[in-house]
Amino acid sequence: MRKLTFFFVLLLSTFLILSACGKDDKAKEDKKEDKKTAEKAEDKDLLAKVKDDGKLLIGTEGTYAPFTFHDESGNLTGFDVEIATEVAKRLGVEPEFKETQWDAIFAGLDAKRFDMIANQVGIRPDRQEKYDFSDPYTTSAAVLIVHKENNEIKNFEDIKGLNAAQSLTSNYGEMAKKYGANLVSVEGFTQSVELLASKRVDVTINDRISYLDYTKHRPEAPIKVAATSEDASASGLMFRKGSDTLVAEVNKALTEMVEDGTYKKISEKWFGEDVLK
């Protein structure tokens, strides 16, 4: 009888332990789900949080002229900085910029160090899978740049066999290679133009906005655009997934800026023309 009683006690204890473990596992899963739900709710109500705090936290490099950089007085400035500042103003809050290296800027957004990124982030399908974007606030195409005296090169097909100054790892370097050019390695746009101006290379393929910025500050540079690619890339302000309400208000602000001429004014200040077209 004692053996039988002991057996039932042991069986009941085992059942209670397994039941408790099951409850613990369920509690852990429920806690995880609650955390996920809370995070989603926080992002969904990000606009309300921004309004309550009275500030919009903006991630940017601060080292990428003319978009985001420090002027001679050490103040943060640039095209992206002015666009983001105007957006914050129209949201009725103050902009607060958080400077971060490019390699860490997406991680900073993930970690909620800031609410959005303003740093010429290209809108690409792989990024759209993980992040939300505003409507484009710049569009730019690849341009074929030649010396002002060169009237023979008129399209991309004409560069076959010619020397092109390119960053070897860039998309523009790959483009020049595709059209059959011989690549001359450079570190950036300025070096490309210097080689072109001294006629040590024949062409360079580069970004249209970079060209506009360079020629705005150096109108005497002996270069010109011979051809423009039909494919244009677009950049947008970037947010964590689920920031729907904030994205909608930012898009509204961008639309108003375009309609009332504020966007054009900022664009012409930095590039001499409207870079959204």
Side-chain angles (χ1 to χ4, degrees):
M1 183 70 178
R2 287 179 181 177
K3 290 182 179 180
L4 189 61
T5 302
F6 176 76
F7 172 76
F8 279 117
V9 170
L10 182 63
L11 186 64
L12 180 61
S13 298
T14 302
F15 174 77
L16 291 173
I17 291 170
L18 291 174
S19 177
C21 289
K23 288 180 179 179
D24 286 344
D25 290 341
K26 188 176 186 305
K28 288 178 181 178
E29 288 299 319
D30 289 344
K31 192 174 181 179
K32 287 181 181 178
E33 288 300 318
D34 289 343
K35 185 179 179 181
K36 288 179 181 178
T37 301
E39 287 176 348
K40 287 180 180 178
E42 182 180 341
D43 276 345
K44 187 175 181 181
D45 296 330
L46 185 55
L47 176 63
K49 181 180 181 300
V50 166
K51 296 270 192 180
D52 289 342
D53 293 345
K55 59 186 178 182
L56 178 66
L57 303 181
I58 305 162
T60 195
E61 278 183 279
T63 56
Y64 183 30
F67 304 104
T68 164
F69 66 104
H70 289 265
D71 62 20
E72 294 178 355
S73 300
N75 299 315
L76 183 66
T77 188
F79 174 77
D80 282 46
V81 173
E82 287 201 21
I83 291 294
T85 298
E86 182 65 26
V87 165
K89 176 183 175 183
R90 292 179 187 238
L91 264 58
V93 298
E94 291 294 321
E96 185 174 316
F97 291 92
K98 303 284 187 179
E99 293 181 50
T100 308
Q101 292 182 343
W102 173 257
D103 291 344
I105 203 165
F106 289 5
L109 183 65
D110 294 339
K112 301 183 180 179
R113 286 190 55 223
F114 25 83
D115 306 313
M116 77 177 193
I117 293 174
N119 207 94
Q120 285 297 299
V121 183
I123 302 173
R124 301 185 336 207
D126 59 326
R127 289 174 180 160
Q128 287 176 304
E129 289 179 5
K130 187 174 180 181
Y131 299 100
D132 286 341
F133 281 89
S134 70
D135 294 335
Y137 67 102
T138 62
T139 57
S140 187
V143 289
L144 177 61
I145 306 169
V146 301
H147 195 282
K148 273 189 175 179
E149 295 176 0
N150 191 324
N151 296 314
E152 296 177 2
I153 300 172
K154 296 180 179 179
N155 54 60
F156 290 95
E157 287 75 15
D158 291 338
I159 71 173
K160 184 176 182 179
L162 301 181
N163 294 326
Q166 307 291 157
S167 298
L168 300 183
T169 58
S170 70
N171 293 338
Y172 301 121
E174 289 297 318
M175 189 174 179
K177 188 189 299 183
K178 185 184 76 172
Y179 282 108
N182 305 313
L183 302 192
V184 177
S185 178
V186 294
E187 294 182 359
F189 182 82
T190 300
Q191 191 179 359
S192 297
V193 174
E194 288 173 352
L195 291 177
L196 188 57
S198 61
K199 299 184 179 180
R200 284 180 283 173
V201 296
D202 304 298
V203 299
T204 182
I205 297 177
N206 241 292
D207 178 76
R208 172 175 167 267
I209 292 180
S210 296
Y211 171 82
L212 291 173
D213 175 59
Y214 187 88
T215 52
K216 183 177 185 296
H217 292 92
R218 300 171 181 82
E220 76 287 350
I223 58 175
K224 65 180 180 180
V225 171
T228 302
S229 171
E230 293 181 359
D231 298 325
S233 59
S235 294
L237 302 167
M238 195 171 86
F239 309 79
R240 288 184 299 278
K241 273 290 186 186
S243 305
D244 300 8
T245 53
L246 180 57
V247 174
E249 284 299 300
V250 168
N251 282 339
K252 180 182 176 185
L254 289 172
T255 298
E256 290 173 351
M257 287 164 62
V258 171
E259 291 176 347
D260 66 21
T262 303
Y263 177 89
K264 185 178 180 181
K265 183 179 178 181
I266 295 173
S267 183
E268 289 181 343
K269 170 185 174 180
W270 290 99
F271 306 110
E273 66 177 71
D274 190 334
V275 294
L276 190 56
K277 294 181 178 179

